[in-house]
Amino acid sequence: VSPRSSWLTTHLLADPEGVAAHAAAHALGRAVFEEMVAAGDRLAATSVLLAQQYYRHAAAARRAFGADGFRRWVELGERLAIEEPPCREGAAAFFAVPPSAFGPGGVDRAASWWELGRDLSRTSRKLAATFFATTASVLHRADGLSRLHAWVDVARDLYAQHGWRGEFFAHGFASAAPRALVVLPPSAYRIWAGIAVALSPAVREKDVFTLPRALRRWTDIECEVFLRCVLVLATESPQRAYVFYRDLPASLQGVEPSVRSSFLGVLSQAGKRLSSAVTDLVPVAGALLQQIPATERHAALRLAEELAARFPEMVVAMLRALPRVYEEASPERVQEWFASGLEVARQNADAGFAYFALESRTSIKVLRAASTAVALEEAHGLLRKYIQMMSGAPVSVRGIEGVRLRPPLEEFPAENEVALPLRVDWLPTHEGNLRLYRFLAAQLAGRREFGTYAFVPPGGAAGDAETDGTALWRYLEDEQRPPWLEELFLLAEGVRVHHRLCGEYAGLAAEGRWVGRALSERLGSAISDDHSDAVLDAAFAVVLSGGGPAEVPAWLGHEALALILRLVAPLSAAETTVSDSMRIAHALAAALSVGRSRGVRAADGDSILLDKVTGDALIDPYYDEDGLPNDGEARRQLGGQAQERTERPAQELPLALDPDDQTPGGAQPMSPEELKRLLEAGVHVRITQGKGEEVDGVGLYITDLMGKIPSEQIEELRRLLGDPDATHGRGPKRWLAASHDGPSFYYDEWDYHIGDYRSRWCRLHEVNVDEDSGEFFTRALTDYARLIPEIRRQFQRIRPEMYRTVKGLEDGEDFDLNAVIDARIEVRAGRPSAGKFYLARKREQRDVAALFLLDMSASTDEPLAWPEAGDEGGRTADARRLAKRTGRRIIDVTKEALIIMTAALEEIGDAYAIYGFSGHGRDNVEFYRVKSFAEPLSTSVKGRMGGIEPKRSTRMGAALRHAVERMSAVSSRSKHLFLLSDGFPQDYDYGQDRRSNVYGIRDTAVALREAEAAGITPFCITVDKAGHDYLREMCDASRYMVIDDIVALPRELPKIYQRVVRG
Amino acid sequence: MAYRLRGEGNNNVPGNLITVACHEDLTGSDLVGRYLIKGDETIWVDGPLTQAVKAGAFCYLDEIVEARKDTTVLIHPLTDHRRILPIDKKGEIIEAHPDFLLVISYNPGYQSVLKELKHSTRQRFVTIDFDYPARDKEAQIIAHESGAAMDVAMSLAKMGEKVRHLKASGLEEGVSTRLLIYAAQLIRRGVPPRRACEVSVSKSLSDDVESQRAIDELAATIFAS
């Protein structure tokens, strides 16, 4: 059998490539063809497949390399297959490369490549085969060979140096060649291979050798720096290093190359100290950099690099804080802030950490020095009072990031929590920013006053309105509403509330104009890099400024704005309600979804407004007007044309807002009829103004409005409302929040690690204690019936002599006979008398105020230990009897002690208050009201004393600070704070280390010192036998007492009180 | 009371009404009378209460809770069926004139719980509660008392109502109608409304700078200038 028949078969010739090759071979002439086929025969002796592979490119090779070159090419392939060590797969791969791939180097280039592969095959034939199969792509490049040399070196070393795993590494490495060989610089090959080794076995080499796609666009230097970082991180934690390797390039997509490169510089500077924070940084890195003002990014990264050089562990904290830092302060200020931060960090690493994370009080103070911005912190009290006065209900203020002219709605209006920006810096002066704050506060108060939350959905009766005012929120969150409805509603409602406010408060009209003018320009400049929020805010600002089209800033499209202005115009009428706003919001949503014609879009920049509203989601500008779909996609025309088309069939223009016919579904479009009805029948519509204007065609499909940021929020909120269990603790939090009926307070907390306060660290609520029927109070009085009279008597003894006689007065109740006689003698003797011969009785005031702060932590739920036999000598009969009553807990005895104390205090007439505290975490410190200073010992106070129950943790610092705050309103000369506890301060996030209670003890100690500084004498009483250990650290020995036998507390407490208060 | 004051003049006591502003140091002698030294002799001078008892006038003890409790018990024999005023120092007992009437006033729950009226004193009187008037009424009062225009009075009444929302959470006491009248008078005489509110309302209500500012902001909200 001829060897030829085995390879040059129908099989090869059935393949189009084979056919083409065969034809090309024939075309070269008989002699050449015979030579080619003879070479094929020789190869077929080794492998038929090899011969076929050869033949496919043979003609091309003959043409490209010439006769000699061709023979050399064949020889190279042949030798690869035959010579020791034979590598048939390699030879096949060699022949598989089309001759053109060798570039201008031709067969010489092929020979060099062949040399490399041949060399490698001596290490491993399999590796060489992979080499020939994967590396041909670089051959045409000028630097192709040098890259290949480096590549082969690394591959060979990988194979040789890592035992049995080496083969896998080397193979994985070689397989990745087509991309990595080109994307990475040769200098990085070895690092990359090193990463695979370092990350194994935690990460499979296959995953490492999958190069992150985004690296393609990086420069060689960036790639190398990046890979070096990964390698360094791998020494700390392979998993984290892998996350860094896999995700960082994608995260940095969109960051400009120069910034990216500086950023990588920072990371490489920080080195392995980054490791613990990698997962915090990587997903947000790109977003963080984008949030820093574009002009400041390089300066910011230079600072970060400097920090990385000195305190690498703090870099991530600073990178995360940088956007806020630049938001808070000018670039020059940031420099100063950074310089002081370095100094802080030099002295105390933890403090530096908190400083650069913008968590410490010092940090914020330094940053804000000399700033014109107004922080919520400083305006908080003012705004809270302002809103409370305007709306008549107490409020607590929640900070939100970013400023909006249309503040968000209250999710649960019954909770009386309003949201204001954490910081306002839109205007160049402090006073201006405060005015803006006030404007927002007035809007929030106005919403309450003018019934925003009394919204009743269309079709619902007024009686259906939920008393908690959440109907509005739920209506807006319904998936069936047009997207953007909430934003548009906020605009419409803002306009309405503003006009109602102006009607009621004369001072606000001018204020609104001022805000509108001051902000129109400012918001205009924000539009270029921002989205809908800024546009709608800007539209609102124009409405506020009261400007006609003449005053419209250039960046806002006239006609589009005129559309908005015209639609919201009815809301300026008196007596409008929230339903009117909702109708207008629907009208706006429909109007913005109206299709627009090419003419308008091309003619002017009006569409900018609407484009921005929709987050740049432009619609197809070439849609056919006649082909309007009939579904709910709301492609409508507005204005003149719209009115001409009012004859459209009804099914084409479904009504969405008619309360009797609410059809759920789609975007809830509004028909021209509906719109017209609104414009005409709506309150005082200035319809003439609108009719003549040519605004047809301006608009967008409402479906295109979806998918932007708000939908994410909507999604989240929908989930939150729909499924309370899926909200990650939000449900219980809400439940908690619902039981808080008072405002919340923010307190700093002392962190001894950083030697500084953590700013606004704890959020405290005042909570009412549930009353019992007064049963506990009465029972305690009965139980201690023998003790109470005794204590009363003691207290009567210390009660001051109520009146003291003062002599030598010019006027008084009675004569001082001695003085009268003296005066008489003087007169007789011819001398002038002093004339002061009256006396009076002056009240000797006992001016004491005492606050009892009760630890209501879960540990007070412990039942009392039964007294040891024979250890009862010191106890009174009462105490013995009570100690044996089963089921009594620590808290019960404490309550009894307080009840006896109140009996004594009522006797002596000192002002006193009783509060309890507990909580869970720094966001949820609870301060329980039992009795305030102003309240008399009423039935409900007695009930509340009985109702005190153990709750959760013991965050003493915040509770003490709040108690001090409460006492500051009391004007007594002598103020005392009694802290009753059963253990050391403790909370799950009280300090970084849960097991250590040092943080809590130090914070409490500082809070106690703050109390002293405020003129209040604190005294700690604990029933914890180990109390000496930590109380010694918290305060002076004369300022605490440990009660060893808790049963003795009711008897001891009045004694302690007498001693402390007298002293 | 107003009717009787207007209707019947009494020659001995001009105006037929004697007002005593009570304070902590007010003593029994201050009410009943005392001996004074005049030249070589001591003479007895009737106190305001004694004068009223004798003449059959109204005696009005303003802010009675401010006075010491031992002082207030002085009025007990006068205010029950006995209607007598014992004067210890002279050893006299005076029977009240049939027209004599005692009126006391105080602000409940004000300042301190210690300053409450003794029950035995309380239960000798009929009680009329005075709270802040409704907005319209208060505006009428302001307009009437100050002569200011009705719209100014309405704005001030609105302001009063709003400021009172802050009572107990920032302010110890709401703004009185009197202060609002002062503000109205100032406005009538040409003081800009915001300034008038500042001097007569916010500064008068509190020393707390934050509360003052909040009230000023409210004034700026209510008044256009």
Side-chain angles (χ1 to χ4, degrees), chain A residues 98 205 215 251 417 631 840 863 938 971 1055:
Chain A
E205 67 272 1
L215 280 185
S251 171
E417 189 182 73
D631 60 15
S938 60
S971 61
K1055 288 187 189 163

Side-chain angles (χ1 to χ4, degrees), chain B residues 119-136:
Chain B
H119 275 279
S120 54
T121 310
R122 245 184 123 115
Q123 295 188 10
R124 290 177 143 78
F125 292 87
V126 290
T127 309
I128 305 171
D129 243 347
F130 289 97
D131 207 338
Y132 298 112
R135 196 196 279 190
D136 293 350

Side-chain angles (χ1 to χ4, degrees), chain A residues 381-382 385-386 388-390 392 434 438 449 504-508 812-813 815 824 838 841-842 934, chain B residues 25 27 29 34-36 40 68 70 89 113 158 162 165 169 208 210-211 213-214 217 220-223:
Chain A
L382 175 73
K385 284 179 177 151
Y386 181 76
Q388 180 168 348
M389 281 196 287
M390 295 270 290
L434 195 59
R438 196 184 77 184
E449 189 168 350
E504 189 73 12
Y505 303 97
L508 286 180
E813 288 169 58
F815 297 120
R824 202 72 205 145
Y838 287 92
R841 291 181 308 153
K842 290 270 177 183
Chain B
D25 294 335
T27 63
S29 320
R34 58 160 64 95
Y35 283 105
L36 288 178
D40 276 357
R68 280 155 38 176
D70 68 319
K89 285 174 184 157
V113 272
K158 188 192 292 168
K162 301 278 173 196
H165 287 147
S169 45
D208 174 29
E210 195 179 271
S211 300
R213 282 212 65 171
E217 295 291 355
T221 303
I222 291 178
F223 292 101

Side-chain angles (χ1 to χ4, degrees), chain B residues 83-122:
Chain B
R83 287 178 64 86
I84 51 167
L85 176 65
I87 304 179
D88 295 348
K89 285 174 184 157
K90 288 173 77 179
E92 276 180 21
I93 292 179
I94 306 175
E95 263 199 53
H97 188 282
D99 288 344
F100 168 73
L101 201 63
L102 190 64
V103 181
I104 60 173
S105 72
Y106 73 104
N107 288 314
Y110 177 58
Q111 289 156 338
S112 153
V113 272
L114 291 176
K115 290 187 174 166
E116 266 191 352
L117 207 53
K118 272 166 89 85
H119 275 279
S120 54
T121 310
R122 245 184 123 115

Side-chain angles (χ1 to χ4, degrees), chain A residues 84-103:
Chain A
E84 272 305 312
C87 177
R88 276 185 220 158
E89 288 92 352
F94 176 82
F95 282 130
V97 176
S100 57
F102 294 107

